[in-house]
Amino acid sequence: MKTNKVALLGLFIALAFVLSYIEFLLPFSIGIPGAKIGLANLAVVVALFIIGKKDALVLSIIRVLLVGLTFGNLAMTMYSIAGAALSYLMMLIGMKTKKLSITGVSVLGGVFHNVGQIIVAMLVLETSGLIYYLPFLVIIGTISGVVIGVLAAMIVERLRRNLRF
């Protein structure tokens, strides 16, 4: 059982890394610095529901570090860690309520990832003016959270039928 879980975690890490790379290659820009679709969050949301909270946290941390070291810089990594940490915390809270679907949990993750990044950016850059980006980032986080959540729900349903833990 433990070996299967470790192997599955490794697959999720690889998937998150590949999805991050694909997103890095996409010429997606809506005029808001740092706004992304969040494809790698698909792996985190699925892992949260399939292999558990602790392993999903490990996945999230490793993903941020690998992507930051490979495609980014220290500043990007710092923003990503803040976003990932707040996103993960809010997804856990959403799961504990047992009132949200996988899609609802994913929306929380998408929105609060952006909130975490804005908070850190305001602290680092010492300006509250960045708060004006927040409404746009909440909309983007909601839309991407819905898309990621719908995909995650389909994947989780299939994995639960086909995996035995």
Side-chain angles (χ1 to χ4, degrees), residues 27-151:
F28 176 76
S29 176
I30 59 169
I32 298 174
K36 295 187 301 183
I37 299 167
L39 292 176
N41 292 332
L42 177 61
V44 176
V45 172
V46 172
L48 198 55
F49 285 89
I50 293 295
I51 58 177
K53 297 176 252 186
K54 289 179 185 176
D55 290 326
L57 177 61
V58 169
L59 164 63
S60 189
I61 292 167
I62 291 173
R63 175 191 67 84
V64 168
L65 293 174
L66 281 175
V67 170
L69 291 170
T70 307
F71 308 120
N73 54 42
L74 183 59
M76 185 186 112
T77 304
M78 187 172 50
Y79 296 135
S80 293
I81 285 174
L86 189 56
S87 171
Y88 178 81
L89 178 65
M90 295 310 293
M91 287 193 295
L92 282 184
I93 291 169
M95 285 179 71
K96 283 190 186 251
T97 67
K98 301 207 187 283
K99 294 183 182 194
L100 295 177
S101 65
I102 293 173
T103 302
V105 169
S106 176
V107 168
L108 277 178
V111 168
F112 281 94
H113 193 280
N114 292 336
V115 170
Q117 288 184 324
I118 284 290
I119 290 169
V120 169
M122 287 178 6
L123 292 171
V124 169
L125 300 174
E126 297 178 356
T127 178
S128 60
L130 294 175
I131 198 77
Y132 295 111
Y133 282 120
L134 196 55
F136 302 106
L137 291 173
V138 166
I139 292 168
I140 292 166
T142 301
I143 293 168
S144 65
V146 167
V147 171
I148 297 297
V150 168
L151 291 171

Side-chain angles (χ1 to χ4, degrees), residues 13-28:
I13 290 169
L15 176 63
F17 188 71
V18 168
L19 290 172
S20 293
Y21 181 63
I22 290 169
E23 189 166 33
F24 178 75
L25 294 176
L26 293 176
F28 176 76

